[in-house]
Amino acid sequence: MNPVIETILAHRSVRSFEDRELSKEQIETIVRCAQAGSTSSYVQAYSIIGVTDDEKKKQLAEIAGNQMYVADCGHLFVFCADLHRHEVIGQMEQADVLPSVESTEKFMVGVIDATIAAQNAALAAESMGLGICYIGGLRNNLPAVCEILHIPERVVPLFGMVVGYPKKINQQKPRLPIEHIYSENRYPQNESEYINQLEDFNKIVQDYYIKRTNGKRNDTWTSQVAKTFEKQSRMYMKDFVKKQGLNKQ
């Protein structure tokens, strides 16, 4: 096993950081590694915003559900699907690009490009001995995020990433068994086997929570996910994305 694989397999979210900022060199290295990720047809349909202003970080932390480690970290990155530059390119080249810019396909390209870049950034940071945590809570109020960060039309902030020197590292959460995630040549068709795998995983997760909380928590993975999906959170997203001029057709 090589160091890259060891770093990947050792991943866990970090939510407690030392009061220590990242250096300019560290930030630039992380961003360059993000840029080294694959991008669909070389369109590079994403942008990364680094947030260093204390007041803006505090506002974003509140939006994210009062997760104060969003403000108290070494550096905060916000990853965006970005087709604004492609609209500008259309103007530069006198090309009719708007039907593509507004399409579901190109919105998916922006989301995928940004996600690939973010995972490269995460791996780069962790290889430096830093900790990271994705912040999907920014999507609680994207209009406010856009106002705080002066985000234009054709751009959608997708998630944040806090990076810093870990103060506390939690036990690694278990993942679904590989046979439940990976199949060959066709999607799994045996429903009873599928359910059995989930029930087996429930026992693993339940045991994890019991040990981690000294018996104060014993929920299963499927019950946790069911509650998440029952909540119907952020149901404004379709209208917001269209308002930003994306995913319209």
Side-chain angles (χ1 to χ4, degrees):
M1 188 178 296
N2 63 52
V4 175
I5 293 175
E6 288 175 354
T7 299
I8 293 170
L9 293 179
H11 166 74
R12 63 209 64 196
S13 295
V14 174
R15 297 178 176 86
S16 179
F17 299 97
E18 296 178 5
D19 184 15
R20 185 177 171 190
E21 294 183 356
L22 268 60
S23 68
K24 183 178 180 180
E25 181 182 4
Q26 286 174 313
I27 294 167
E28 183 173 319
T29 298
I30 289 169
V31 173
R32 286 186 179 278
C33 287
Q35 288 187 275
S38 297
T39 168
S40 178
S41 300
Y42 195 41
V43 300
Q44 304 179 79
Y46 67 95
S47 287
I48 307 168
I49 301 173
V51 186
T52 58
D53 182 273
D54 288 340
E55 182 57 32
K56 290 180 184 289
K57 288 169 73 175
K58 182 181 177 182
Q59 291 173 332
L60 294 173
E62 291 172 354
I63 288 171
N66 292 311
Q67 300 181 69
M68 295 319 296
Y69 50 88
V70 173
D72 301 329
C73 63
H75 197 72
L76 171 61
F77 297 92
V78 177
F79 289 82
C80 306
D82 184 357
L83 289 157
H84 169 72
R85 70 167 56 91
H86 303 84
E87 183 177 17
V88 173
I89 288 168
Q91 296 167 359
M92 290 173 60
E93 300 294 333
Q94 298 182 2
D96 183 14
V97 302
L98 286 188
S100 288
V101 165
E102 295 179 345
S103 70
T104 298
E105 162 61 15
K106 290 303 184 285
F107 176 62
M108 290 177 65
V109 165
V111 172
I112 293 165
D113 273 11
T115 305
I116 291 171
Q119 191 57 22
N120 259 28
L123 182 56
E126 290 177 333
S127 75
M128 299 178 190
L130 302 170
I132 73 101
C133 185
Y134 283 93
I135 308 297
L138 293 186
R139 296 194 300 278
N140 290 340
N141 190 347
L142 286 185
V145 173
C146 288
E147 184 176 348
I148 292 165
L149 299 180
H150 303 279
I151 290 174
E153 192 179 30
R154 318 291 187 192
V155 180
V156 173
L158 300 172
F159 48 81
M161 181 188 293
V162 292
V163 181
Y165 291 88
K167 183 185 294 184
K168 178 184 177 183
I169 299 178
N170 292 323
Q171 182 182 352
Q172 192 174 42
K173 281 186 176 180
R175 295 296 196 259
L176 284 163
I178 190 170
E179 60 267 21
H180 192 85
I181 292 292
Y182 175 75
S183 61
E184 293 186 343
N185 301 318
R186 63 183 297 178
Y187 194 87
Q189 305 295 311
N190 190 326
E191 196 76 4
S192 62
E193 183 179 352
Y194 198 79
I195 291 172
N196 286 338
Q197 290 171 350
L198 289 173
E199 289 177 342
D200 288 342
F201 186 61
N202 274 340
K203 295 174 185 175
I204 294 171
V205 172
Q206 192 172 48
D207 183 61
Y208 163 81
Y209 282 129
I210 290 171
K211 290 179 179 177
R212 178 174 169 177
T213 65
N214 293 319
K216 294 179 181 179
R217 182 176 175 182
N218 65 352
D219 48 319
T220 65
W221 185 72
T222 56
S223 67
Q224 183 180 353
V225 171
K227 288 177 184 176
T228 298
F229 277 75
E230 278 186 326
K231 191 177 179 182
Q232 297 186 18
S233 63
R234 305 167 189 159
M235 300 302 283
Y236 75 95
M237 199 61 64
K238 179 180 179 180
D239 291 338
F240 171 79
V241 171
K242 285 188 175 181
K243 186 177 179 182
Q244 286 297 98
L246 299 175
N247 197 26
K248 296 175 71 173
Q249 53 187 320

